[in-house]
């Protein structure tokens, strides 16, 4: 039996998400839509509501019984059931904006001992994200309010609205940006969205109701085998930049790299210059105070998060086996006989960035030759105001 096609569609407003689903159904009239909503239930698992629609199933118009539990487990069961009972050739998973859709897709595709892989039953279509520019611009600068982002497990992740907006754009294989009704895009609106995810296909169209324009047939194509590995690699702390370097107008992106450790005190002093005008920043650091640890850099709006995310790969084959193919490829490309894959790489996108000032500030935060000669044992004695000093007791 041939595998069905699974599309995932989300958006930052119900209006643009629904419009894209409706237009996708014009490309695939027999598709079954599985619409999802998730509600928190105190400290326990959330309640997951699902609704079926579309002409490809006799169950159209059916609200499935609400279930409390891990959203990934519940949705996997729904998708497998649709494949068995309804024999749906194409399922559209309509995901609300409070779901970390990339993490959700990775977990849905992860093989399970009891039920195998979802890839045994479905081929993946491109992950589609619809973006209302007005809502996006309001959210990307909002760091004083938080929201729960769901993927799997018994609780969501509390993030700023700016972080949620940035993650959603970065998750897309295809970005659909409707033009606001009655007016043109504001300068830089689409440019900023496109800069945050240069590898996606960016589509613009007229009418927030989605009535104008047709979506290309590429939205319902089957991705090559291993698409889930590509999604997983985007979640790893060490990976290629997703934002486009350069830019036009006031929206610019720079990528800074270094092959020697950063001094945490000087980096802390440089942050005021580095973060000026930054809308989104992602990357990883090699801090001298933590020579074996990958420190993830993630900022959205004015909020910056630095955290210990992973360990640098060493010569232990088990470390390499656990990494994604993309991580292994990058490690081989950048491998140093003494330092291994260790390096810093940050991508910063913003409006009116002073790129020379940012690069200079970061370069000055690197260890000097004299400090570098101290070696890892000496580096760890340097105070770290960013992540705290390591307890050597």
């Amino acid at each position: 039996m041939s595998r069905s096609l699974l599309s995932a569609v989300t958006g930052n407003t119900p209006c643009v998400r629904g419009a894209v689903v409706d237009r996708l159904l014009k490309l695939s009239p027999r598709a079954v839509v599985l619409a999802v909503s998730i509600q928190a239930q105190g400290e326990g698992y959330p309640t997951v509501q699902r609704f079926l629609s579309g002409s490809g199933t006799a169950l159209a118009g059916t609200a499935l019984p609400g279930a409390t539990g891990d959203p990934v487990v519940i949705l996997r069961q729904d998708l497998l059931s649709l494949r068995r009972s309804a024999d749906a050739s194409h399922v559209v998973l309509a995901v609300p904006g409070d779901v970390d859709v990339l993490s959700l897709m990775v977990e849905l595709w992860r093989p399970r001992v009891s039920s195998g892989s979802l890839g045994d039953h479905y081929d993946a279509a491109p992950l589609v994200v619809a973006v209302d520019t007005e809502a996006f611009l309001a959210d990307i600068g909002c760091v004083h309010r938080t929201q729960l982002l769901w993927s799997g497990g018994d609780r969501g992740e509390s993030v700023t609205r700016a972080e949620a907006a940035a993650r959603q754009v970065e998750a897309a294989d295809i970005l659909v940006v409707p033009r606001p009704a009655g007016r043109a895009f504001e300068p830089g609106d689409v440019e900023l969205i496109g800069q945050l995810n240069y590898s996606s296909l960016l589509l613009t169209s007229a009418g927030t109701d989605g009535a104008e324009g047709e979506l290309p047939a590429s939205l319902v194509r089957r991705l090559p085998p291993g698409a889930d590995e590509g999604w997983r690699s985007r979640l790893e702390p060490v990976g290629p930049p997703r934002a486009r370097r350069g830019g036009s107008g006031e929206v610019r992106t720079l990528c800074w790299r270094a092959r020697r450790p950063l001094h945490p005190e000087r980096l802390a002093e440089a942050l005021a210059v580095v973060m000026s005008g930054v809308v989104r920043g992602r990357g990883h650091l090699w801090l001298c105070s933590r020579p074996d640890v990958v420190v993830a850099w993630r900022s959205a709006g004015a909020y910056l998060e630095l955290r210990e995310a992973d360990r640098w790969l060493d010569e232990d084959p088990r470390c390499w086996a656990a990494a994604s193919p993309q991580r292994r490829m990058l490690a081989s490309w950048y491998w140093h006989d003494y330092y291994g894959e260790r390096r810093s790489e940050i991508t910063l996108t913003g409006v009116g960035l002073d790129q020379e000032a940012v690069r200079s500030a970061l370069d000055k935060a690197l260890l000097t030759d004299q400090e570098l000669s101290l070696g890892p044992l000496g580096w760890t004695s340097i105070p770290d105001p960013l992540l705290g000093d390591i307890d050597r007791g």
Side-chain angles (χ1 to χ4, degrees), residues 277-296:
V278 172
V279 174
R280 179 60 163 169
R282 288 194 66 181
H284 55 271
L285 304 178
W286 176 18
L287 282 183
C288 72
S289 55
R290 284 163 168 77
D292 297 324
V293 175
V294 179
V295 176

Side-chain angles (χ1 to χ4, degrees), residues 9 19 34 104 115 117 121 145 177 199 231 260 318 349 361 389:
V9 178
L34 176 60
L104 176 72
S115 56
S117 170
H121 307 276
R145 294 174 59 193
V177 185
S199 63
W231 292 333
R260 65 170 60 196
R318 292 173 296 181
T349 300
D389 297 334

